[in-house]
Amino acid sequence: MNLKLHFWASIQLVLRSVGLVTLFVVNANAQSNTSGYSDVARQRLLIRITAQYLHTISQGQIDMDSAVRIPCKVYGLSPILAYSEGYSDGRPSPGTSLIDAGKIKESKELLTRLKDSARIRLLIELGSYYVFMPGNRKADLDQAAKYIDEAINFSRSAPTQWKIESMTLRAHLLHQSGRADEGQKMFTEIETLCERSGNTLALAQAFLRGGEVLRYGDPIRLSKFEKALSIFKTKHLKEQEIETLSLINIENFVNKRYDVAEALLHKIIKLQTEIKFRQTQYPYDALSWLAYRKGALNNALTFSNKSLASINTRSDSTFIGLFYTRRGLVYERLFKSDEAITWFDKSLKDKKRESRMYWYRSLIGKVGTLNVIGRAKEALPLLKEAETKYPPTSYFEQMHFALLLGITYENLKRLDLAEQNYNIFLIMAEKFPMEYVHDEFPAAFFQIAAFYRKVGNTAKARELLEQGKEFISATDISGKGEYFYNLYKLDSLDGRYLDAIKNLNLRNDFKDSVFSYDQRKKANELLVKYEAEKKDKDIRLLNSQNQLQRIKAEEADRTKNITLAGAASLLIIIGLLLNRYSLKQRSNRQLEANQKELDRKNVYLETLNTEQEKLLKEKEWLIREVHHRVKNNLQMVTSLLNSQSAYLEDDAAVTAVQDSLRRMQAMSLIHQKLYLDENTSQIAMPEYISELVGYLQESFDTDNRINYDLRIEPLYLDVSQAIPLGLIINESIVNAIKYAFLNEHSGLVCINLKREGADYLFLKISDNGIGLPAELDLMQHNSLGLDLMQGLTKQLKGSFTIESLKGVHITVRFPVLVR
């Protein structure tokens, strides 16, 4: 009877556990931080760096507010985090949580119940939500003004910090509303307020944000960044230093100070490495572009390799199409057209309307390459398909789409359509913002100039050639070569042969500097080396491609897979318990038969003591055999779950399975000791707890950061008490390892098991970690580990308490089992 009750209690506990695990995994999957950073400084840097890259590489076609929201969505971070450095340590307030969940109405209702600093904070958060909404809708700006005005009102009687934050938001509102002069005046007032209050960090942020809203190329913008950088360096705030250096470098690119930009990119990578910031793909991609445009193609390929090698996670791989495009362009410049098209196709493989920004340039690159190698007939259908399914939306896309159609129609000898599309490009190019013009313009103007030269309009060709020359920077070697080549062709047509020879020689000089035999040889050697090491070096790249395919799966499908995994785990554990129950029943029947036989022999053969001892040994052997088989079955299930976890795609599901494995190991250790020891019914607790702690240390590999102080009295417990007690210790230590010592901090975990009087035992597990969050409500908190510990304590008929005071302290008091 006791065996049946114990079995069904175990089944119910497992059912509840697996259900809670599945629910936890599904909920965690819906909203989770996938950045890989637990500290707010690197989370903010990840948002700002990624947004800067997307804004600049789109050449201004994506506004900064939209660019900020993209990495927030990809990495599961709050958009407000990007703007709250002056008042938030990263932990979400009740208002932030509601806003991030889209519950704006509920956040406004919460506002009516808040007072003092909490009310000002929510006013600023609501104001930020509307100010930094993508676009400049009047309705959003009006809503923002309402909350900002109220925040400024309340800040008059609040600490200076809140006045600075309110005024900063007002300055942003003025800029968003088209009142830039008033916005800059407000930033000047903020700077004065920060200086008077002695808040140098807020002053640096005022310089940074005040410069960021100015147009590219404005000298005041660079001056503000340099002032902010000086403060951040003094305070050794490397995350803010990296962000500021990145903004300064955008100014270097805009003003075509490419040598300065190159040196600064190497400095940014060095700083990122020092703070263990993994997303170095952006500066490496910029270095690849600089090397590409200078004609240093072997360097361009090296930096392209490094940018791709920096992409290691599923979230990072969202943007991988941009880096595939860069790789394709380098191959194209090396006259390896087939390889270039292969890399463009990798970017285009999973093209969707919502991710067009990441693959549209690969479409441009592929169409351009097909035209260069004489396959315009393939290029035209590709353009027509894109025009139908993914029509160009941004000004940049529309302008270059017209250019591509012009090139393709020219190569197909449909000159009227070519000229029509070339004219569309030229008209749009006149209105394109100069600060976003890169190498596309010289190449485009030279292409159209060559067209007019071929149709006999040399005057128009010269005019366009000179326009294109204006966009060539000092380091654009390839552009200069193309200019002199086109000039040579025009001079030849016009009979200016001496000028033609001179320009041809100049063109050859530039071409040789880019495509010298030595450089091509080095580039080819680098390509061979890259391909030879591809199987090892590209494991992360191939994983990223597989991760991109997984991104295509719908959330419902992933939830379904997680549920199926949980159900499979449930079936395996139930099967294990059924098997264990069956073994116990069988062994009990066998023991009963042996006992009856022993009784009969005792009646008739009382003198044969040796025979009786033999039967007793057989009984002990049978019990040990039961424990041996249970231990083997647990290990078999552990191996199955461990193998299955290798095929799980969701990190939360893998974590849940690993937690289950540790719980099974805690039970398996008990059955192993019962099998190996002479005593087949009781467990020596000092030895068992020591082995369990050793196993958990190896399981998490904490590099000896966490020490353990074991104070275990020499107690022997029955297996029915040892198993739940072991599981409680397992859960407590796992929670301490996972959550008590963040950012690789060292710590101590103490485990104390002793008698308390004659009838009770006392277990206390303590750590000196960060403790529980202050706002955590243990009665409402939904935690599998906590529920398990409480349920297991009830099984022991004991009491359970948990406290947070300079760490977490768990206490279990339960009666000694008397048999």
Side-chain angles (χ1 to χ4, degrees):
M1 182 65 180
N2 289 336
L3 181 62
K4 289 182 179 179
L5 289 173
H6 179 71
F7 170 74
W8 287 113
S10 301
I11 287 288
Q12 290 171 0
L13 182 61
V14 170
L15 282 168
R16 186 180 180 195
S17 301
V18 174
L20 287 170
V21 168
T22 305
L23 181 62
F24 172 78
V25 169
V26 171
N27 288 340
N29 190 49
Q31 171 106 17
S32 60
N33 170 15
T34 62
S35 69
Y37 302 121
S38 57
D39 58 297
V40 67
R42 286 186 294 178
Q43 289 174 10
R44 282 198 179 102
L45 179 61
L46 177 59
I47 295 172
R48 305 293 300 188
I49 286 288
T50 307
Q52 286 175 14
Y53 178 81
L54 296 176
H55 177 63
T56 53
I57 204 168
S58 72
Q59 294 182 247
Q61 300 305 294
I62 297 180
D63 65 89
M64 194 62 184
D65 293 336
S66 299
V68 164
R69 286 177 179 258
I70 292 172
C72 290
K73 182 177 180 181
V74 168
Y75 293 104
L77 299 171
S78 168
I80 293 176
L81 194 65
Y83 313 105
S84 61
E85 59 265 57
Y87 61 87
S88 173
D89 60 0
R91 288 180 292 183
S93 67
T96 307
S97 300
L98 289 172
I99 293 171
D100 288 340
K103 298 179 179 180
I104 307 303
K105 181 180 178 182
E106 289 83 348
S107 66
K108 293 177 182 178
E109 291 173 355
L110 174 64
L111 185 64
T112 62
R113 302 194 295 273
L114 297 178
K115 296 180 180 180
D116 303 325
S117 293
R119 181 177 179 83
I120 298 177
R121 173 169 178 166
L122 184 50
L123 286 168
I124 290 173
E125 288 170 343
L126 283 166
S128 298
Y129 170 78
Y130 285 109
V131 164
F132 300 114
M133 186 80 70
N136 293 312
R137 291 194 322 144
K138 186 177 183 302
D140 292 333
L141 297 177
D142 288 345
Q143 282 289 317
K146 169 186 170 184
Y147 295 111
I148 294 169
D149 288 345
E150 191 173 348
I152 288 176
N153 250 356
F154 277 101
S155 69
R156 291 192 179 101
S157 57
T160 308
Q161 164 201 11
W162 294 115
K163 188 173 183 180
I164 293 171
E165 293 300 323
S166 303
M167 291 175 66
T168 300
L169 204 53
R170 165 66 65 79
H172 279 290
L173 175 63
L174 291 169
H175 272 275
Q176 297 268 17
S177 303
R179 298 155 64 185
D181 290 341
E182 295 177 56
Q184 280 304 306
K185 184 179 178 182
M186 179 68 74
F187 273 118
T188 302
E189 292 178 17
I190 296 167
E191 292 163 13
T192 302
L193 178 60
C194 293
E195 289 174 342
R196 287 176 181 171
S197 63
N199 192 337
T200 54
L201 183 56
L203 177 61
Q205 290 294 346
F207 285 138
L208 192 66
R209 301 305 167 216
E212 199 173 7
V213 295
L214 294 171
R215 64 171 180 81
Y216 286 164
D218 189 323
I220 298 177
R221 177 181 168 95
L222 182 59
S223 172
K224 284 180 177 286
F225 291 158
E226 289 173 341
K227 290 176 182 178
L229 180 64
S230 176
I231 297 173
F232 290 140
K233 289 176 72 174
T234 301
K235 290 185 171 293
H236 306 290
L237 298 171
K238 292 187 177 180
E239 289 84 1
Q240 288 88 334
E241 185 179 348
I242 292 169
E243 179 188 349
T244 310
L245 286 172
S246 300
L247 287 167
I248 289 173
N249 224 14
I250 292 173
E251 293 301 295
N252 289 328
F253 274 89
V254 169
N255 292 289
K256 305 193 185 316
R257 296 189 291 264
Y258 295 123
D259 290 340
V260 179
E262 186 174 357
L264 208 54
L265 285 168
H266 285 290
K267 183 175 183 180
I268 289 169
I269 292 170
K270 182 176 181 293
L271 286 170
Q272 288 179 332
T273 304
E274 288 176 5
I275 65 169
K276 298 181 180 180
F277 185 78
R278 296 182 299 276
Q279 282 77 13
T280 55
Q281 60 265 37
Y282 305 124
Y284 276 129
D285 184 64
L287 285 169
S288 180
W289 181 80
L290 286 174
Y292 167 86
R293 69 186 311 284
K294 288 196 300 186
L297 300 181
N298 50 342
N299 289 339
L301 189 59
T302 298
F303 291 130
S304 174
N305 288 348
K306 290 184 177 181
S307 66
L308 285 171
S310 300
I311 300 172
N312 296 305
T313 68
R314 180 177 62 187
S315 298
D316 288 343
S317 65
T318 303
F319 313 109
I320 201 168
L322 297 169
F323 306 101
Y324 285 157
T325 303
R326 181 77 63 218
R327 189 55 171 267
L329 292 172
V330 176
Y331 273 90
E332 180 190 35
R333 188 64 65 86
L334 286 165
F335 301 110
K336 292 183 175 291
S337 302
D338 290 340
E339 289 90 339
I341 290 174
T342 297
W343 285 94
F344 291 142
D345 283 339
K346 284 185 178 183
S347 179
L348 295 169
K349 183 178 180 181
D350 296 304
K351 59 179 182 289
K352 297 177 183 176
R353 188 181 297 271
E354 60 272 19
S355 62
R356 62 188 298 126
M357 189 188 99
Y358 314 136
W359 55 261
Y360 213 87
R361 286 173 184 266
S362 278
L363 174 69
I364 294 173
K366 182 175 181 179
V367 170
T369 304
L370 288 172
N371 275 288
V372 167
I373 62 177
R375 292 162 60 181
K377 287 184 179 179
E378 297 176 45
L380 187 60
L382 193 61
L383 284 171
K384 290 298 182 182
E385 180 194 14
E387 191 173 25
T388 302
K389 293 184 178 179
Y390 314 102
T393 54
S394 71
Y395 197 88
F396 177 88
E397 290 174 358
Q398 292 167 4
M399 182 171 62
H400 279 78
F401 201 85
L403 177 66
L404 289 172
L405 281 172
I407 295 171
T408 306
Y409 281 130
E410 179 185 349
N411 289 329
L412 293 173
K413 309 302 182 185
R414 299 169 68 176
L415 303 184
D416 54 337
L417 290 174
E419 184 173 16
Q420 177 182 328
N421 282 283
Y422 282 148
N423 284 331
I424 292 173
F425 172 85
L426 292 172
I427 292 169
M428 296 185 73
E430 292 179 2
K431 300 177 182 179
F432 195 77
M434 291 301 298
E435 61 265 31
Y436 294 110
V437 172
H438 298 311
D439 287 344
E440 298 92 347
F441 270 34
F445 276 98
F446 296 162
Q447 173 72 38
I448 302 173
F451 167 78
Y452 280 106
R453 169 174 52 79
K454 292 172 186 176
V455 298
N457 191 345
T458 56
K460 180 74 170 177
R462 283 188 185 276
E463 177 188 340
L464 292 170
L465 199 59
E466 293 307 313
Q467 287 185 41
K469 180 185 177 183
E470 296 299 319
F471 296 108
I472 300 176
S473 63
T475 56
D476 188 0
I477 305 300
S478 178
K480 291 177 180 178
E482 285 299 308
Y483 168 76
F484 285 113
Y485 176 73
N486 279 278
L487 205 55
Y488 144 72
K489 287 283 191 179
L490 284 172
D491 288 339
S492 298
L493 283 175
D494 291 342
R496 299 162 62 175
Y497 300 114
L498 290 177
D499 289 339
I501 293 170
K502 175 185 174 184
N503 288 320
L504 179 60
N505 287 333
L506 287 170
R507 182 260 187 170
N508 289 336
D509 288 342
F510 286 114
K511 183 179 180 181
D512 289 344
S513 69
V514 178
F515 301 109
S516 65
Y517 171 77
D518 184 58
Q519 169 140 307
R520 280 181 288 166
K521 180 181 177 183
K522 287 183 180 178
N524 282 325
E525 287 174 355
L526 188 59
L527 286 172
V528 170
K529 181 180 178 183
Y530 171 78
E531 295 298 335
E533 298 175 354
K534 190 172 184 180
K535 287 185 179 179
D536 295 327
K537 279 188 172 183
D538 278 2
I539 288 175
R540 287 181 293 182
L541 174 60
L542 293 173
N543 285 338
S544 296
Q545 293 171 354
N546 291 333
Q547 290 163 352
L548 271 176
Q549 293 176 359
R550 289 199 293 271
I551 291 173
K552 294 169 58 180
E554 296 292 336
E555 192 69 29
D557 291 335
R558 287 191 287 176
T559 303
K560 177 182 176 182
N561 290 337
I562 295 167
T563 305
L564 288 174
S569 301
L570 173 62
L571 290 174
I572 291 171
I573 296 172
I574 290 176
L576 170 67
L577 292 174
L578 284 170
N579 184 54
R580 182 180 174 190
Y581 173 73
S582 176
L583 285 173
K584 285 197 174 186
Q585 289 283 65
R586 191 184 310 159
S587 64
N588 276 348
R589 288 195 295 270
Q590 184 65 43
L591 288 172
E592 288 175 4
N594 289 340
Q595 186 63 48
K596 288 178 181 179
E597 181 67 20
L598 183 62
D599 289 342
R600 285 197 299 271
K601 286 185 179 182
N602 282 336
V603 172
Y604 297 104
L605 303 170
E606 292 178 353
T607 59
L608 301 178
N609 291 330
T610 55
E611 184 68 14
Q612 186 177 21
E613 290 173 0
K614 179 182 177 181
L615 289 173
L616 286 172
K617 288 181 180 179
E618 288 179 355
K619 177 181 177 181
E620 291 176 358
W621 178 86
L622 284 171
I623 293 174
R624 272 198 289 272
E625 185 65 17
V626 169
H627 289 302
H628 186 204
R629 293 185 183 182
V630 171
K631 185 263 295 183
N632 286 345
N633 286 334
L634 283 169
Q635 289 181 343
M636 179 180 68
V637 174
T638 300
S639 298
L640 287 171
L641 285 175
N642 197 28
S643 299
Q644 182 64 37
S645 68
Y647 296 92
L648 292 176
E649 299 172 352
D650 189 274
D651 293 339
V654 171
T655 301
V657 171
Q658 289 174 344
D659 288 343
S660 298
L661 288 172
R662 295 187 187 98
R663 293 168 187 139
M664 288 187 188
Q665 183 65 19
M667 293 188 289
S668 178
L669 282 174
I670 288 178
H671 289 287
Q672 179 175 315
K673 296 191 70 61
L674 290 171
Y675 165 67
L676 295 175
D677 292 350
E678 289 295 322
N679 191 333
T680 59
S681 61
Q682 291 188 319
I683 300 295
M685 296 309 292
E687 184 179 352
Y688 166 66
I689 292 174
S690 177
E691 290 180 8
L692 177 60
V693 171
Y695 160 73
L696 292 174
Q697 279 184 292
E698 293 179 0
S699 174
F700 280 94
D701 189 21
T702 57
D703 294 330
N704 296 321
R705 290 186 298 102
I706 302 174
N707 294 316
Y708 298 85
D709 181 12
L710 306 182
R711 300 180 184 180
I712 314 300
E713 288 189 0
L715 299 170
Y716 284 82
L717 293 186
D718 187 86
V719 64
S720 63
Q721 288 193 313
I723 288 178
L725 196 66
L727 289 173
I728 291 172
I729 295 170
N730 175 80
E731 292 299 315
S732 302
I733 296 175
V734 167
N735 284 342
I737 293 173
K738 282 184 177 180
Y739 307 115
F741 311 107
L742 300 180
N743 299 323
E744 300 183 352
H745 285 175
S746 300
L748 177 68
V749 177
C750 299
I751 304 173
N752 186 4
L753 179 63
K754 62 181 181 180
R755 284 190 177 275
E756 193 177 67
D759 301 323
Y760 284 87
L761 293 179
F762 176 87
L763 170 68
K764 185 170 184 179
I765 305 168
S766 303
D767 64 68
N768 62 350
I770 63 173
L772 299 173
E775 67 276 9
L776 182 67
D777 185 350
L778 293 174
M779 299 302 294
Q780 300 296 325
H781 187 58
N782 185 14
S783 164
L784 172 60
L786 188 59
D787 287 349
L788 275 175
M789 287 189 284
Q790 291 175 333
L792 291 165
T793 303
K794 289 181 181 178
Q795 189 174 327
L796 290 169
K797 296 182 174 59
S799 61
F800 173 89
T801 59
I802 180 169
E803 299 175 300
S804 179
L805 180 63
K806 295 183 180 179
V808 175
H809 309 277
I810 294 172
T811 304
V812 178
R813 184 174 179 270
F814 60 97
V816 179
L817 180 64
V818 179
R819 286 185 178 270

